[in-house]
Amino acid sequence: MTNSNAMRFNIAFILWCALFLLLGGAGLAGLSAVGRLPAPPVTATNCIDEKFKFMHDTEIRNPGLIAVGSSVTWRNLDFSVFAEHYGGDVEPLNAAPCFLYVNQTAFYTDFLLDNMPSVKSVMSVFSMRDFSACAASPTEFFRPEDAKGYVFDKDPAWHLYLKNFRPVSFARDVVDLPGMRSGKDASASMVMDPYGSGPFTLPKPEIREDFQLDATCLDHLSAMSEDLSRRGIDFIVVLLPQMPAWRDAYDPGGVRDAEFRREVSRRLDPTRTVLIDAQQGLHLSNDQFTDHAHLQWRSVPLLMRYLISQLDKSELSLSHAGADQAGGGPDHAL
C-alpha cells in the first residue's frame, strides 16, 4: 500500500511539473507573440538583459571594435558617424549595457573577448559615476555559462526564464517594456540603433545625484588596462566632459573632477592605450546634456567627431587589416 501511494504521488508530481512547464511555455509564447516578453533573465536588470538580447539578435558577429561600460558608453556613442568617416574599415559594436561600475565592466569585457577573437580595440566612455561604487558592487554580476550559448551560439533561452525566474520584476517588465522598447517612455528608453547604442533625449537636463570617487575602481581600471595589453588589444578610453550644472552644485571649481581625470590617466597602461579627455576639446552647455552622465542624442555627433579627430592623430589603426599589419598598438596617450 505504501509503495502504491508513493507511485501515485510520483506520477502526480511528474504530471503537475509537466503541466507547469506546458502552461509556462504557452504563456511565454503568448507574451512573445504580442511583443511583451521580457528578454531572457541573464541578470536581474532589464536594461542589461535587453543588451544580451540585442547581442543575440544582431548580425554584427565579428566586430573589430567593441564599446563596453555603463550607460555612459551605451548612450554617448553614435557609430554611424564612424561609418561616415571610416567606411567599411571599422565594424564597431556597442556592447555596453547600463548601471555597470568599472569592476563589472572589466568582468564583462573579459567575457566578451573570450568569445570574440575578431576584436582588436575596446572603447569605453567614462564619467566619475563609473568610478563611484566598485567596492560595494559585485564584480561577477552574471553567470557566463548562462549568457554564452544564448549570446554567441544563438541558442534558445527558454530555460533561463525558469532558471532565473523573478515573478515581481517579470510582471513589471511585461507592463513597462513595450513603452521602453518603442521609446514612448523617453526617461527609460531601451531603443537601440543598429550598432547597439541607446539614443537618449530628455526635454530638460537633470543634475541628479552627487557621488564620490572610489579608489577601488581605479585599481580595477589598472587591472583591465593591463589585461587588454596582455591580450594585444588596444584600449580607447574616453572621458566625458563635465556637466556645468553638476559641477556648480557638487564640485565648485572642478577640483574633484580634475583629480578623477588625473587618476584615470595615471592608472592606464601606456603600451596600448589612447586616452581622449573630451573635457579638453569640447566645451558643452547644460542643454547639451540630459544629466551628468549622458549627452542629448543630438549632441553625441559632436563627441564622435572629436573622438575621430583625436584617433586620427594617434598611431592606432581601427581597420581589421591595419590592426593585423601594425603588430603593436599605440604606445602613447592623448
Side-chain angles (χ1 to χ4, degrees), residues 102-162:
V102 174
N103 58 319
Q104 297 167 324
T105 293
F107 172 74
Y108 179 55
T109 303
D110 280 343
F111 166 73
L112 295 178
L113 295 178
D114 285 345
N115 294 281
M116 287 183 165
S118 62
V119 174
K120 305 297 182 184
S121 304
V122 167
M123 175 181 288
S124 293
V125 184
F126 290 129
S127 74
M128 199 191 305
R129 180 264 168 210
D130 296 298
F131 290 79
S132 62
C134 292
S137 302
T139 295
E140 299 182 8
F141 65 98
F142 69 96
R143 290 186 288 268
E145 61 270 20
D146 284 350
K148 183 179 184 300
Y150 174 61
V151 172
F152 293 106
D153 301 329
K154 293 198 173 186
D155 292 343
W158 298 106
H159 68 286
L160 293 175
Y161 289 99
L162 301 176

Side-chain angles (χ1 to χ4, degrees), residues 81-82 84 298-310:
V81 181
F82 262 35
E84 292 172 3
R298 67 177 183 274
S299 299
V300 170
L302 295 174
L303 175 63
M304 297 303 298
R305 286 191 285 271
Y306 181 71
L307 299 189
I308 289 170
S309 72
Q310 299 306 297

